[in-house]
Amino acid sequence: MLKLYNTLTRNKQDFKPIGKTVTMYSCGPTVYSYAHIGNLRTYIFMDLIRRALRYEGYKIKGVINITDVGHLMADGDDGEDKMIKASREQQKTPLEIAEFYTHIFMEDLAKLNIKCPEIVAKATEHIDDMIQYVVALQKAGFAYETSDGIYFDIAKFSGYGKLSGANLDDQIAGARVEVNSEKRHPADFALWKKADPLHIMQWDSPWGKGYPGWHIECSVMSQKYLGKVFDIHSGGVDHIPIHHENEIAQNEALTGEQSVNYWLHGEFMLVDGGKMSKSLGNTYTIAQLEERGYSALDFRFFCLNANYRKKLNFTFAGLDAAKVSRERLLAQLAQHKASKVATPIDILDKYRTEFRDAVEDDINIPLALGVLFTALREPKSQDIYALALEFDKVLGLSLDKLPQPKKEKSISLPSEVEALVEARTEAKKNKDYATADSLRKQINDMGYNLLDTKEGVTVTPKAKE
Ligand code: AMP
Ligand code: ZN
């Protein structure tokens, strides 16, 4: 049975979906610039959850949002809108910016073998839904109006802080210098912001022209497509204390029910042991890795070697090692694929069970990869190759796309010699060693050396004298 670590309960729990189709929401990108490798680690994590669910036989209805209204510079409600900043700097309309980066994002997902969730929900296409949601929150007494917007009144929601374990006093201590004196509590957050006339993106609302807060987007779109209670919500750990806490507050204030059964969070990627940031110039994109000669799948493989709940330190030395190791993996697979030998069913089943156990144990992909590597050490066999393809449904490493195997000498053998080699292998399998020896002699007499190795038989022409 699949077990998942739930941030909400701080426990690994048996996964029991509400219905036959698993409902899952994943926080998506803000499309005002390229996704960096840290963001992409989190989307690889999303993909691994989805692949693990399918491996377990579930169907999935997944939603990912595209934040194309922009949101403010920090998690708070103040600062310059990122989309508008990009729009000014790149001299394009916000719509053009959003379309351009959404397209690149989808390309990155495809290169990384990340299957896009079934529903891609753009924030700008759900503005009316958001307005209705805010109106409903206001009617229910959870929101209040100030001169610059509509705010969620967190003091009215007793469950605030349950995901991160922070209490309201921590939130006050952690709040930055308060600039909005009309807020009732420093951690109250904007559901809707009133726009000044110069703001580029704004929509009509009961409170005049304005634009939605960021958190409301995810509450509205998740519930619209998945219902008021759904199975899984995924995202990066940075979203636990504010964004997801705020989503819970909005959802549960309105429905009175726990909205998400399993909260799953992927740990952060660091670069050279520290934080990634534009100012340090270490926020690499997939295109930049490709320019340096790595493929997106080298990066995916690099990520798969670390457990999703552990921080992962990105270095180019680490990526080099991943690249070499992936190439070796593919070369080994090519040899298995070329072999005609069979592997006993019980051995294959042992690996299948070990692999499934690893996946079911909170999606332990490094362990699952270890099972694959052990299996590859078995004598070369097509069955091991077929097994690797089964495992690849979870790993997503394109193991069916192998480089041309290096031509083994035996492949270019004359057909009579090849027939003798096959007959000898068969004789050995039947423990008929006398026949095997006599066949070896015939092969030798025809001018070939034959060597039994762990990897199988190699046949090479004798050096000419
Ligand atoms: P954002 O566009 O900032 O909302 O980020 C998109 C996704 O990437 C979110 O799920 C974040 O939690 C995640 N994320 C941001 N930075 C990192 C990082 N350094 N490592 C892993 N995930 C990250
Ligand atoms: Zn979100």
Side-chain angles (χ1 to χ4, degrees):
M1 175 165 225
L2 179 61
K3 286 190 165 54
L4 297 171
Y5 181 86
N6 188 348
T7 308
L8 189 63
T9 58
R10 291 164 188 79
N11 261 321
K12 247 186 233 178
Q13 288 177 275
D14 288 345
F15 177 64
K16 295 190 185 129
I18 302 161
K20 280 200 182 123
T21 299
V22 174
T23 42
M24 172 166 166
Y25 186 85
S26 306
C27 285
T30 306
V31 282
Y32 65 94
S33 73
Y34 299 101
H36 60 59
I37 51 175
N39 303 138
L40 294 169
R41 180 188 189 198
T42 295
Y43 299 118
I44 291 173
F45 165 54
M46 168 194 82
D47 185 57
L48 291 171
I49 303 169
R50 290 168 47 83
R51 284 171 179 270
L53 288 168
R54 274 201 229 92
Y55 195 68
E56 292 289 300
Y58 294 113
K59 288 207 173 74
I60 307 167
K61 183 175 183 188
V63 179
I64 187 167
N65 65 298
I66 300 279
T67 300
D68 55 353
V69 291
H71 60 78
L72 304 159
M73 293 308 283
D75 274 334
D77 297 317
D78 307 302
E80 189 177 13
D81 187 304
K82 291 175 182 176
M83 184 75 77
I84 290 162
K85 185 165 178 280
S87 172
R88 194 186 57 235
E89 286 170 0
Q90 299 176 35
Q91 306 211 323
K92 288 187 182 140
T93 66
L95 195 72
E96 284 169 343
I97 298 272
E99 270 180 6
F100 176 78
Y101 289 109
T102 303
H103 178 73
I104 303 274
F105 178 68
M106 293 299 167
E107 272 183 359
D108 284 348
L109 296 192
K111 283 180 186 170
L112 287 162
N113 278 348
I114 297 172
K115 293 189 186 148
C116 188
E118 290 65 29
I119 297 169
V120 177
K122 290 186 178 171
T124 48
E125 290 170 5
H126 296 80
I127 301 290
D128 283 345
D129 298 314
M130 294 187 216
I131 290 172
Q132 279 172 34
Y133 205 103
V134 177
V135 168
L137 280 172
Q138 220 177 359
K139 272 203 188 123
F142 287 95
Y144 59 92
E145 186 167 355
T146 70
S147 57
D148 74 344
I150 310 296
Y151 285 83
F152 189 92
D153 194 347
I154 59 169
K156 297 263 171 67
F157 178 63
S158 61
Y160 199 83
K162 65 180 171 180
L163 187 66
S164 56
N167 59 37
L168 276 185
D169 293 337
D170 296 337
Q171 298 278 347
I172 295 173
R176 290 158 302 137
V177 181
E178 196 45 53
V179 286
N180 187 339
S181 59
E182 290 177 71
K183 283 207 305 195
R184 294 179 188 166
H185 186 285
D188 286 354
F189 55 92
L191 298 164
W192 184 266
K193 290 280 274 191
K194 297 175 184 174
D196 66 56
L198 293 177
H199 203 272
I200 317 181
M201 297 179 93
Q202 45 180 289
W203 292 265
D204 285 324
S205 80
W207 318 282
K209 291 219 180 249
Y211 54 97
W214 168 39
H215 316 294
I216 195 74
E217 191 185 304
C218 288
S219 282
V220 167
M221 300 201 282
S222 59
Q223 295 196 358
K224 173 165 180 161
Y225 295 105
L226 305 176
K228 58 183 181 176
V229 182
F230 57 96
D231 293 310
I232 296 176
H233 194 312
S234 78
V237 286
D238 56 325
H239 286 341
I240 299 172
I242 296 175
H243 182 49
H244 291 163
E245 206 72 83
N246 292 353
E247 265 187 62
I248 290 178
Q250 294 166 155
N251 297 353
E252 299 186 9
L254 208 57
T255 67
E257 286 183 62
Q258 183 181 310
S259 52
V260 177
N261 287 340
Y262 301 85
W263 281 95
L264 309 187
H265 289 100
E267 250 300 347
F268 250 37
M269 172 163 276
L270 308 175
V271 171
D272 296 327
K275 212 177 162 231
M276 241 186 268
S277 84
K278 288 232 166 81
S279 56
L280 293 173
N282 62 5
T283 56
Y284 301 106
T285 62
I286 285 298
Q288 285 168 335
L289 297 188
E290 284 173 337
E291 276 164 25
R292 291 180 180 226
Y294 303 96
S295 79
L297 290 185
D298 291 330
F299 177 69
R300 183 178 174 106
F301 187 69
F302 174 79
C303 290
L304 261 47
N305 279 284
N307 190 287
Y308 82 85
R309 278 173 56 210
K310 299 228 164 75
K311 288 192 177 66
L312 173 56
N313 185 27
F314 176 87
T315 59
F316 278 100
L319 189 59
D320 282 335
K323 185 179 166 68
V324 169
S325 167
R326 192 173 79 87
E327 277 161 9
R328 199 178 306 137
L329 166 67
L330 297 180
Q332 282 175 320
L333 279 169
Q335 289 175 10
H336 280 283
K337 189 180 178 188
S339 161
K340 298 203 169 58
V341 178
T343 304
I345 294 276
D346 54 334
I347 294 189
L348 295 171
D349 279 346
K350 177 179 81 92
Y351 290 124
R352 275 195 190 101
T353 306
E354 286 176 11
F355 186 86
R356 187 172 292 279
D357 285 350
V359 172
E360 289 187 342
D361 184 13
D362 193 29
I363 319 185
N364 191 337
I365 300 298
L367 195 62
L369 268 180
V371 175
L372 172 62
F373 278 114
T374 310
L376 289 176
R377 289 202 287 270
E378 291 287 333
K380 295 288 173 282
S381 141
Q382 277 199 343
D383 297 331
I384 296 288
Y385 176 65
L387 186 71
L389 293 190
E390 263 176 59
F391 294 172
D392 200 39
K393 293 198 172 108
V394 178
L395 304 173
L397 290 169
S398 290
L399 300 184
D400 56 336
K401 298 194 186 90
L402 298 179
Q404 285 295 344
K406 283 201 192 86
K407 278 225 157 102
E408 289 187 20
K409 299 257 166 54
S410 58
I411 290 174
S412 55
L413 296 176
S415 55
E416 314 90 277
V417 178
E418 208 162 338
L420 290 175
V421 174
E422 263 178 41
R424 178 178 171 273
T425 306
E426 194 57 33
K428 268 186 70 183
K429 214 154 109 192
N430 298 330
K431 300 200 164 56
D432 181 358
Y433 298 112
T435 310
D437 282 347
S438 115
L439 287 164
R440 175 202 282 271
K441 190 159 179 318
Q442 286 185 51
I443 294 166
N444 286 158
D445 291 347
M446 291 174 82
Y448 292 87
N449 284 324
L450 184 144
L451 195 68
D452 287 308
T453 67
K454 264 199 290 184
E455 274 75 36
V457 184
T458 43
V459 183
T460 44
K462 285 185 186 165
K464 292 214 168 69
E465 277 147 38

